[in-house]
Amino acid sequence: MKQVGIEAINAYCGETYVDVPTLFAARGLDDSRIGNLMMARKSVALHCEDAVSFAVNAAKPIVDALTEEERSSIELLIVGTESGVDFGKSLATYVHDHLGLPRSCRLFETKQACYSGTAALQTAAAVVAASPFEGTKALVISSDVARPVPHTYVEPSQGAGAMAMLVSDRPVVAAFDHGANGFHSYEVMDTCRPDPEREAGDTDLSLLTYIDCLKGAFADYARKVEGADFVDTFDLLAMHTPFPGMVKGAHRAALRKLRRGISPQAVEDDFTARLGAAVQYPQQVGNIYAGTVFLALASTLDNAVVDRERRVGVFSYGSGCASEFYSVVVTPDSQRAVRAMGIREALDARYRLSMQEYDELLAATAELKFGARDFTFDLDRFPQITKERFTGGRRLVLEAVRDYHREYVWLGQGAAR
Amino acid sequence: MTRNEELTVTDEEIFAVLRAQIVDVLPEAADVEITPDHSMRDLGANSIDRMDVVIAAQEELGVKVPNSELTGAGDLRSLVGVFRRSLSARA
C-alpha cells in the first residue's frame, strides 16, 4: 500500500475582517461572553465573493506551483461546501475552469455540513491510494461563505474561508495513518441551513452532539488502532472549530471521560500544549465551516513546535451529523512547506472593517438572491477596500450572473479588467 | 410534571445533583438560592457551562439522556423531569 497524504495546503480567508469585541459592543451583546467564544477577529467576504471565488483563490498558489506534467496528473477535484450556488451544477465546475485543470479529471461537490471537506479529503485519499499509476493527484477544496445573522451570538463566529489541499503519494504536509479512521454518525437536528440565507438550530444540542461524536469517533478509532490512547498517542490535536471555546469545552469533557480524576489544571495544560497552536488561526478567522478543521491543521503546522516527527489527531464534525477521528504524521519539512504559503501573513494583511463598512458589506452581499437569473456587481462599490487590496496580487471575484451563469474576473496586478 | 406537583424524593435528589454541579461550574451561583424555576441561563451559565453541568449530572446519576431531551428542557424543574423519566425507563 503506497503512502498517501497531503502534499500541499493553503488557505484563503478573505480580504477583510471585523474585530470581535467591536462587533459585540456595536450589537449590544453581553461582552462577558467573549471569553467563552475565545475569538478575536472574523473574516468577512466581499459582496463580489462567493464560495467559488474563495475556493479558486485558496487553490491557485498550489496549482501555480505545479509543473504542466504534475497539473495534468490531477484526476480528481472535489469541493466540499454548504454554500452551494445551484442545486444541480456543482461549484467544482467553475473552480475547475478558473484553475485551468485538465479535462481528464473527475469533478463534483460534497455536502454534509462541516464534514463535507473531510468527506472530500478521505474520498480523494482513497482514490489516490487505489490508483495503479504513480503520481496521481487529487485536489480537495473546502469553501464556505457565511451569511451572518446580525444581532445574534453566532454572528461573531460566522466567518468566510476556503482551504485547498493537494492529495498525492508525496505527503509532504501530512501523511495519513493508513486505516486509522474512526467514525460516528447519526441523524440529529442540531444546526442546518434551511435556505441559502439562514442558519438555524440549537447551539446547546450542537455542542452536546459534537462531544458525543468526539468520544464516539475516537472510540471507533481506538477499536481499530491497537493501544490508541487519547492523550498518549497524539502529540498534537486539530479539531473542527466553530469557535475555539467550543473546542476547549469538548476537550475538557473528553478528557474527564477518558482520564477519570484528571485535575482541572492538567486539563488546561493539555489544552494549551496540544490544541493551543490549532486554535490560533480560527481565533482570527471565525467559523469557516467545511474548512475549519483544515484551518486548525494548518494553524497547528504553522504554530506548534514540530522539531521531529509528530502524530496529529484530527477530529472533523458536521452537523446533522457525521464525524471522523483520524491521524496524520507531520515532520519539520511539513512545517517548512506550510509556512512557505504565508497563511499568517495573509491573515495579518486583511483590511479592518469599521462596523459601518461591515453592515454595508452585508447589505451589498444580500442583494444577490439565490437563483437570480441576471445580476451585475459594482466592483468599485467599496473602493477604499478593493483599491488597496487588489494592487498586490491577483484575486478572482464574481463580476456578473448572466442567464444563471456565474462570470468571474481576475482583479489585481496584471489582470485585465 | 406541573409546577403544582410536589417534588418526590427522587426529584429532590436529582435537583440536588444539578444544583451541586451548577455551583461547581458557576461558583458565583453559590450565593443564589437556586430553585426549580430557575433556568441555567438565568443563573448566568453560557453554552459551555450548560454542557458541563448536564454531562457531569449524567455521570453522577449514572444515566445517558438523549441530547435533544436535555436541550429541550427550559427550567431546572423540566430538566429534573427529563432525568427522572430517563432513570425510570432504565429501572
Side-chain angles (χ1 to χ4, degrees), chain A residues 98 379 395-399 407-411 415-417:
Chain A
H98 291 286
L379 297 182
R395 291 289 185 220
L396 193 73
V397 296
L398 181 56
E399 187 179 40
E407 297 184 358
Y408 297 85
V409 63
W410 288 100
L411 293 186
R417 278 285 309 276

Side-chain angles (χ1 to χ4, degrees), chain A residues 29-360:
Chain A
L29 300 177
D30 174 3
D31 63 10
S32 68
R33 292 174 68 164
I34 295 180
N36 175 32
L37 280 179
M38 296 174 65
M39 292 254 334
R41 297 171 174 180
K42 74 153 180 169
S43 277
V44 183
L46 295 174
H47 65 302
C48 53
E49 291 187 300
D50 64 2
V52 172
S53 67
F54 263 76
V56 172
N57 288 326
K60 183 79 168 140
I62 292 177
V63 173
D64 283 354
L66 299 175
T67 64
E68 198 54 47
E69 190 188 347
E70 287 170 330
R71 199 179 305 189
S72 68
S73 64
I74 296 177
E75 60 174 50
L76 173 64
L77 167 68
I78 316 178
V79 182
T81 187
E82 56 183 275
S83 314
V85 297
D86 187 281
F87 285 108
K89 186 175 165 63
S90 83
L91 289 184
T93 58
Y94 291 113
V95 173
H96 177 267
D97 185 37
H98 291 286
L99 287 173
L101 296 180
R103 292 197 172 189
S104 53
C105 181
R106 291 163 165 152
L107 59 84
F108 57 92
E109 177 180 311
T110 54
K111 173 168 71 183
Q112 179 27 62
C114 301
Y115 178 76
S116 68
T118 299
L121 182 69
Q122 296 296 349
T123 301
V127 166
V128 170
S131 171
F133 305 110
E134 249 182 63
T136 295
K137 296 184 195 298
L139 184 62
V140 170
I141 311 173
S142 52
S143 182
D144 276 301
V145 176
R147 288 289 182 97
V149 188
H151 302 282
T152 64
Y153 280 97
V154 290
E155 186 185 14
S157 62
Q158 292 179 290
M163 297 296 303
M165 287 156 289
L166 191 65
V167 177
S168 77
D169 51 13
R170 211 173 68 84
V172 178
V173 168
F176 293 122
D177 282 327
H178 181 65
N181 305 64
F183 317 120
H184 198 75
S185 311
Y186 58 96
E187 200 279 328
V188 61
M189 192 59 185
D190 56 344
T191 66
C192 62
R193 286 202 195 191
D195 71 40
E197 284 155 35
R198 259 192 310 167
E199 285 179 38
D202 179 334
T203 315
D204 282 21
L205 182 55
S206 199
L207 193 48
L208 287 168
T209 309
Y210 179 103
I211 291 165
D212 264 358
C213 282
L214 175 59
K215 292 176 191 167
F218 179 72
D220 191 44
Y221 178 100
R223 191 174 62 78
K224 295 166 179 168
V225 180
E226 200 182 336
D229 180 274
F230 188 72
V231 174
D232 297 331
T233 304
F234 314 101
D235 303 294
L236 297 158
L237 296 168
M239 290 162 50
H240 172 55
T241 310
F243 57 93
M246 181 161 163
V247 173
K248 192 166 187 181
H251 165 264
R252 186 172 60 220
L255 235 56
R256 280 181 186 159
K257 173 88 179 170
L258 298 167
R259 284 284 163 109
R260 298 269 173 199
I262 189 169
S263 74
Q265 189 58 49
V267 172
E268 183 77 28
D269 292 348
D270 188 65
F271 178 81
T272 306
R274 294 198 298 153
L275 278 155
V279 298
Q280 284 191 32
Y281 292 166
Q283 282 180 315
Q284 299 296 318
V285 175
N287 190 4
I288 59 167
Y289 307 85
T292 305
V293 64
F294 308 119
L295 184 64
L297 179 61
S299 189
T300 300
L301 277 159
D302 261 2
N303 299 306
V305 175
V306 185
D307 51 4
R308 59 174 173 82
E309 193 174 276
R310 302 258 180 191
R311 178 160 279 111
V312 186
V314 183
F315 174 63
S316 173
Y317 171 80
S319 287
C321 70
S323 71
E324 181 160 346
F325 190 100
Y326 60 99
S327 55
V328 299
V329 173
V330 302
T331 66
D333 281 344
S334 309
Q335 185 160 63
R336 275 190 285 278
V338 177
R339 283 186 177 163
M341 302 310 292
I343 297 171
R344 172 178 290 282
E345 292 76 6
L347 293 180
D348 290 347
R350 288 170 299 169
Y351 176 93
R352 179 181 173 152
L353 295 168
S354 68
M355 272 307 293
Q356 191 186 337
E357 287 171 324
Y358 170 68
D359 280 329
E360 285 170 5

